[in-house]
Amino acid sequence: MHHDTALAEDIRASAAHLLAEDLGPGDVTAGLIPETQWARAQVITREACVLCGVAWVDEIFRRLDSRIRLHWQAADGDRLAAGQGFLELEGPARGLLTGERPSLNVLQTLSATATATRRYVDLLDGTGVRLLDTRKTLPNLRLAQKYAVSCGGGRNHRAGLWDAFLIKENHIAACGGIAGAVDQARRLASGLTVEVEVENLDELDQALDAGADTVMLDNFSLDDLRRAVTRTQGRATLEASGNVDDTTLKAIAETGIDCISSGAITKDIKAVDLSLRLVDDASRDGMENS
């Protein structure tokens, strides 16, 4: 539940920030439209995608004008086809146009992460290998992108630096070795998962001997990944990382490792092409009280 609460708080803060950076002291162009003018709008996607970001959009328009009504025809995690309309809005025309850009900005970004994740998850179908995200997220979008990954069918790695140990090359050097680093982690917080990043099979053996829960195999060749699986014999969870793309993903999965982590699904994303159009801008004064 803690994560759900943190996400809800994050959504509220994000919506406030997105509106503030766009709105400033006021929307001067929207001021050209009569205050009493009501309109309907539709949001469509110009390309196939996986939708993500519903709660952010709801919160943006709630803050802008409580009279605006949103009618979603799809939910987070749903696949959308090119040209598909998935949201209809109704309310004061000023508010609809003011909220257009901040809401599409968050939708295009989170849907991009969900879409990239789903593409990888589909490629992994049948292998039993889990796709994990990383901390290589866009600034200020950590929880939002982690949520988008889950909407795309991926799993969340640690959220930050507090909820698990990930002992990397520089930590190992500073601690004087893998065994010392793992021992120290167990003494500091016995309840947390301890993961060690290794560069070769010799370091893998050290991490296994030290009792690591998970070992991240960084940029291993396919042959070395297979050797790592044989050596580990299920003593730790094996995570492959590095050189992960559309062409290598399946081959990496078929080596027998447990999971693959990818920074690309959060940092190398291309925004989904979305469009909001007014479909009926006739005056709707009578609807204000409905």
Side-chain angles (χ1 to χ4, degrees):
M1 282 306 293
H2 167 70
H3 182 263
D4 292 345
T5 306
L7 184 63
E9 288 172 3
D10 196 62
I11 290 167
R12 287 192 289 272
S14 290
H17 180 74
L18 285 162
L19 276 174
E21 73 177 4
D22 224 1
L23 200 49
D27 182 347
V28 294
T29 318
L32 304 175
I33 301 161
E35 220 177 328
T36 54
Q37 187 163 323
W38 280 57
R40 283 194 305 125
Q42 183 184 44
V43 182
I44 67 160
T45 176
R46 298 184 191 278
E47 57 188 313
C49 68
V50 173
L51 179 65
C52 184
V54 167
W56 284 260
V57 177
D58 285 345
E59 179 67 11
I60 285 167
F61 282 105
R62 187 190 70 77
R63 285 171 177 270
L64 259 180
D65 192 325
S66 60
R67 296 170 297 175
I68 294 171
R69 295 283 172 261
L70 287 79
H71 308 286
W72 292 93
Q73 282 113 29
D76 285 343
D78 286 355
R79 293 179 195 256
L80 303 178
Q84 185 173 340
F86 59 90
L87 170 62
E88 286 184 359
L89 305 99
E90 199 165 3
R94 282 185 180 184
L96 294 183
L97 296 175
T98 297
E100 172 184 0
R101 182 43 48 202
S103 57
L104 292 190
N105 277 355
V106 74
L107 274 180
Q108 72 189 12
T109 304
L110 298 188
S111 296
T113 288
T115 303
T117 303
R118 182 64 57 82
R119 194 176 74 247
Y120 275 8
V121 168
D122 286 347
L123 286 169
L124 288 171
D125 189 41
T127 64
V129 172
R130 304 186 298 279
L131 179 72
L132 302 175
D133 54 24
T134 68
R135 288 188 304 123
K136 295 174 183 175
T137 48
L138 301 177
N140 292 320
L141 284 177
R142 173 66 53 80
L143 287 182
Q145 282 195 295
K146 293 260 178 188
Y147 170 75
V149 165
S150 64
C151 288
R155 304 282 188 90
N156 295 148
H157 211 291
R158 58 182 184 157
L161 295 170
W162 71 90
D163 53 338
F165 288 95
L166 178 43
I167 301 166
K168 299 164 84 78
E169 189 180 5
N170 290 329
H171 300 109
I172 293 165
C175 291
I178 289 172
V182 173
D183 283 348
Q184 181 72 348
R186 295 288 185 212
R187 278 201 297 276
L188 283 171
S190 58
L192 294 181
T193 297
V194 176
E195 178 169 359
V196 178
E197 180 182 67
V198 301
E199 312 285 329
N200 53 55
L201 292 166
D202 178 49
E203 289 185 353
L204 166 65
D205 288 338
Q206 292 176 48
L208 293 172
D209 289 343
D213 300 306
T214 302
V215 183
M216 182 194 291
L217 310 168
D218 186 38
N219 288 305
F220 273 42
S221 68
L222 292 176
D223 281 342
D224 279 349
L225 286 174
R226 281 187 280 270
R227 290 187 186 102
V229 170
T230 304
R231 287 194 189 197
T232 302
Q233 298 290 325
R235 284 182 287 160
T237 299
L238 291 182
E239 173 189 335
S241 176
N243 297 322
V244 178
D245 61 31
D246 289 45
T247 60
T248 60
L249 189 74
K250 193 82 184 280
I252 292 171
E254 285 168 349
T255 61
I257 46 94
D258 301 295
C259 43
I260 297 174
S261 56
S262 165
I265 57 175
T266 48
K267 71 182 177 68
D268 297 339
I269 53 168
K270 180 175 178 293
V272 173
D273 189 5
L274 304 173
S275 171
L276 179 144
R277 300 175 185 154
L278 289 189
V279 289
D280 174 13
D281 59 2
S283 182
R284 291 175 165 260
D285 306 65
M287 292 186 60
E288 277 194 61
N289 301 315
S290 65

